[in-house]
Amino acid sequence: MRIAVVGSGYVGLVTGTCFADMGHEVLLVDNNDQKLAELGSGDVPIHERFLPELLARHRGKKIKFSNDLQAAVRACDAIFIAVGTPATDRGDADLSYVESVAREIAGAVDSYKIVVEKSTVPVYTSQWIRTVIIRNGANPASFDLASNPEFLREGTAVTDFLYPDRIVVGVESDRCAQVLREIYAPLTSGDYYSRADAIPRPDRAQIPPRLIITSTRSAELIKHASNAFLAMKISFINAVASICESVGANVQQVCDGIGSDSRIGPRFLNPGIGYGGSCFPKDLMAFRAVAKECGYDFRLLDEVMRINEDQRHRFLKKVRSVLWTLRGKRLGVLGLAFKGGTDDIRESPAILLVQELLREGCHICAHDPAAMDRAKEVLPASVEYTSGPYEAATGADALLILTEWEEFAGLELDRLRNLLKYPIVIDGRNLYDPAVMSAHGFSYYSVGRPETLTEDSTAAVRPDKRHIF
Ligand SMILES: NC(=O)c1ccc[n+]([C@@H]2O[C@H](COP(=O)([O-])OP(=O)(O)OC[C@H]3O[C@@H](n4cnc5c(N)ncnc54)[C@H](O)[C@@H]3O)[C@@H](O)[C@H]2O)c1
């Protein structure tokens, strides 16, 4: 099929590239000419596994780049809208980018098209897009609106797209459903997976994936409700982790115990410094706002957001209580991205923590395998960036782990201990086993698990160990 994808950001670029790999002809449209020039010249603007290979495979052949939305609409059967839907100051979703795309599409609908929301949008948005397209001159019979929310996770975006847990398609007509069935047929039929050059199958993938067809409203709600539920899972286990710290329990053991209940499941029970990124924070606020508009006061979501924010404050408190005073302290920081596997720093808890530590007068030596360039755009010039994790640790009063990169989970512990000024690791992502850290001579602090203390560091920097939380 001929598909236009509007917006070549995280979702648009991955969607377009994967559609090309599934055999479709893709036109990737953006209004940012610099981005298009970079894409056209072979750059890959985001750090995402398999994306460079797939772009190299299809660039200029099955995927082309353009700034001409109307020409793309005329040339294609399906137009996927994947532009940003950031939060407004009031917390609801800013749909002005979606609206401007809809307006432009209207003038170019010259034969039957389907217009598909890929962006995460509040319920009723597809109806609004339809209204805008009609108001701007399109014949109501010449197009259908669909909602096809995207569930990819940054860091594993390509694999998530090609091996999804499910594909949700919200439609109002059989004709439109049929077009979307065809678009996803390479996955739902299993054909894609039998190809020798298919992207490798991840461990948990169920193939072929299930195609769930719903109304557009249900599809819109599925996306917001999914993100809200996942964020709730994180905040729930973070709240439990706080209780674990108070009573000396181990949240890892608690996760094991509750996660083995098949109704709960172990995934996403990840205690740490909280969720961030470009989706959960804004989608929760948008869902909260949309619920309010519909007359439902969804206060549970307020609490999910409050716990998430509190988690960062608790971590800061922990750093303070371990190091006593912060002014002038040199801190090694591992991780700036909002999660491992990506260079995205939007709403990254790591960035927010670094900013707070800088305000308190710390000197920060940071390393991130992918996000340092982006971090430089938002952090003050005083932050030192290092070529690796050991360099960040060298001479530091303590090492902070803020992003769960795989690269940080297997450090040579003896080497690390020797490089640090004091053998103190404060781990906001629970990457290490406290017993192992203790055996290697570290004072090790993590989230929701008992601390391990070496006599030296306790005596040197932490006289008031108890009753701090
Ligand atoms: N990033 C994720 O992990 C993720 C996952 C699922 C869903 N989503 C949702 O997908 C949507 C897009 O997110 P993203 O992270 O890809 O955003 P992004 O900010 O990375 O990309 C948006 C792109 O749209 C382009 N754009 C804006 N207005 C345009 C216009 N009028 N014409 C053409 N291009 C235009 C921008 O230049 C940019 O390249 C959001 O609604 C988001 O919530 C994101």
Side-chain angles (χ1 to χ4, degrees):
M1 300 211 47
R2 288 161 306 166
I3 300 175
V5 178
V6 190
S8 65
Y10 226 104
V11 167
L13 184 57
V14 171
T15 300
T17 308
C18 291
F19 277 157
D21 205 44
M22 288 156 62
H24 302 300
E25 303 284 334
V26 177
L27 265 174
L28 195 55
V29 181
D30 208 288
N31 60 0
N32 180 333
D33 288 335
Q34 192 191 336
K35 210 175 217 183
L36 291 174
E38 285 167 11
L39 280 167
S41 68
D43 280 3
V44 183
I46 52 174
H47 177 91
E48 200 59 58
R49 204 160 169 230
F50 300 121
L51 194 56
E53 294 92 308
L54 289 191
L55 272 171
R57 198 183 280 176
H58 300 297
R59 185 184 282 111
K61 297 171 208 145
K62 284 201 169 297
I63 186 164
K64 295 186 177 140
F65 308 105
S66 166
N67 61 2
D68 190 341
L69 174 54
Q70 295 211 328
V73 172
R74 282 189 284 271
C76 293
D77 313 296
I79 300 100
F80 282 72
I81 303 176
V83 297
T85 50
T88 67
D89 291 342
R90 283 174 301 149
D92 51 358
D94 177 356
L95 299 171
S96 57
Y97 302 98
V98 174
E99 184 180 0
S100 89
V101 170
R103 245 185 277 124
E104 233 183 301
I105 289 174
V109 179
D110 56 357
S111 59
Y112 179 74
K113 315 274 176 198
I114 67 163
V115 178
V116 188
E117 302 167 337
K118 198 60 159 158
S119 301
T120 301
V121 290
V123 65
Y124 286 121
T125 301
S126 64
Q127 232 161 284
W128 271 112
I129 298 176
R130 184 170 174 78
T131 304
V132 168
I133 295 178
I134 293 169
R135 273 185 194 161
N136 284 278
N139 172 358
S142 64
F143 72 99
D144 271 315
L145 237 298
S147 165
N148 173 218
E150 183 48 55
F151 300 99
L152 64 78
R153 296 160 299 171
E154 294 188 13
T156 50
V158 170
T159 309
D160 286 346
F161 192 96
L162 292 168
Y163 294 85
D165 287 341
R166 79 300 206 190
I167 298 160
V168 173
V169 158
V171 289
E172 301 300 332
S173 80
D174 290 342
R175 187 178 184 187
C176 180
Q178 192 46 37
V179 178
L180 280 155
R181 266 197 203 96
E182 274 178 48
I183 288 174
Y184 283 105
L187 305 185
T188 53
S189 66
D191 286 354
Y192 177 80
Y193 308 115
S194 57
R195 272 172 34 189
D197 64 351
I199 291 300
R201 176 183 178 169
D203 290 345
R204 263 191 297 266
Q206 300 262 3
I207 55 173
R210 188 174 158 215
L211 182 75
I212 301 175
I213 298 195
T214 69
S215 67
T216 49
R217 273 176 237 177
S218 297
E220 289 162 339
L221 270 175
I222 286 169
K223 176 63 190 177
H224 263 165
S226 296
N227 275 4
F229 194 88
L230 291 169
M232 182 181 72
K233 219 169 167 185
I234 294 175
S235 280
F236 180 85
I237 204 61
N238 277 335
V240 172
S242 300
I243 299 171
C244 288
E245 288 181 3
S246 306
V247 302
N250 182 331
V251 73
Q252 217 68 45
Q253 294 171 356
V254 176
C255 285
D256 199 24
I258 61 177
S260 53
D261 182 327
S262 59
R263 292 168 302 175
I264 298 174
R267 291 175 71 189
F268 247 62
L269 291 177
N270 299 331
I273 53 175
Y275 61 78
S278 65
C279 292
F280 284 2
K282 81 164 171 60
D283 290 347
L284 251 76
M285 285 197 291
F287 197 26
R288 173 81 172 94
V290 97
K292 200 168 200 167
E293 229 168 82
C294 303
Y296 185 76
D297 191 11
F298 208 155
R299 274 179 285 172
L300 175 63
L301 299 184
D302 290 339
E303 194 54 19
V304 170
M305 294 185 260
R306 188 197 62 75
I307 293 170
N308 195 54
E309 208 177 314
D310 195 40
Q311 207 55 20
R312 278 202 316 277
H313 299 147
R314 291 178 63 84
F315 188 78
L316 257 183
K317 221 166 154 184
K318 194 171 291 183
V319 177
R320 273 195 218 106
S321 72
V322 173
L323 296 178
W324 191 24
T325 66
L326 291 182
R327 185 159 300 283
K329 292 273 160 71
R330 184 183 175 90
L331 300 180
V333 164
L334 299 189
L336 296 164
F338 86 93
K339 62 188 277 198
T342 175
D343 60 347
D344 201 337
I345 55 160
R346 291 179 283 185
E347 299 290 322
S348 166
I351 295 283
L352 295 169
L353 278 166
V354 166
Q355 285 168 332
E356 191 57 41
L357 291 164
L358 289 168
R359 272 195 287 276
E360 301 227 14
C362 295
H363 179 77
I364 302 290
C365 291
H367 177 71
D368 188 287
M372 292 194 291
D373 284 345
R374 289 196 196 272
K376 282 176 195 165
E377 292 166 15
V378 301
L379 291 177
S382 61
V383 174
E384 218 179 294
Y385 297 91
T386 64
S387 53
Y390 298 104
E391 289 76 6
T394 303
D397 290 282
L399 185 70
L400 274 46
I401 304 178
L402 302 185
T403 307
E404 68 278 34
W405 279 97
E406 262 174 46
E407 285 87 334
F408 299 154
L411 297 175
E412 294 168 39
L413 295 177
D414 291 332
R415 181 176 169 199
L416 191 66
R417 194 192 57 243
N418 291 332
L419 290 172
L420 282 162
K421 186 167 168 193
Y422 302 109
I424 300 172
V425 173
I426 311 173
D427 184 354
R429 298 296 185 179
N430 288 5
L431 292 191
Y432 285 91
D433 179 344
V436 172
M437 294 303 274
S438 175
H440 282 81
F442 286 96
S443 287
Y444 177 70
Y445 307 84
S446 54
V447 180
R449 302 183 301 176
E451 324 168 334
T452 66
L453 302 171
T454 60
E455 274 185 9
D456 280 349
S457 68
T458 320
V461 297
R462 198 158 172 230
D464 61 339
K465 188 181 90 55
R466 295 288 154 215
H467 312 302
I468 47 166
F469 300 117

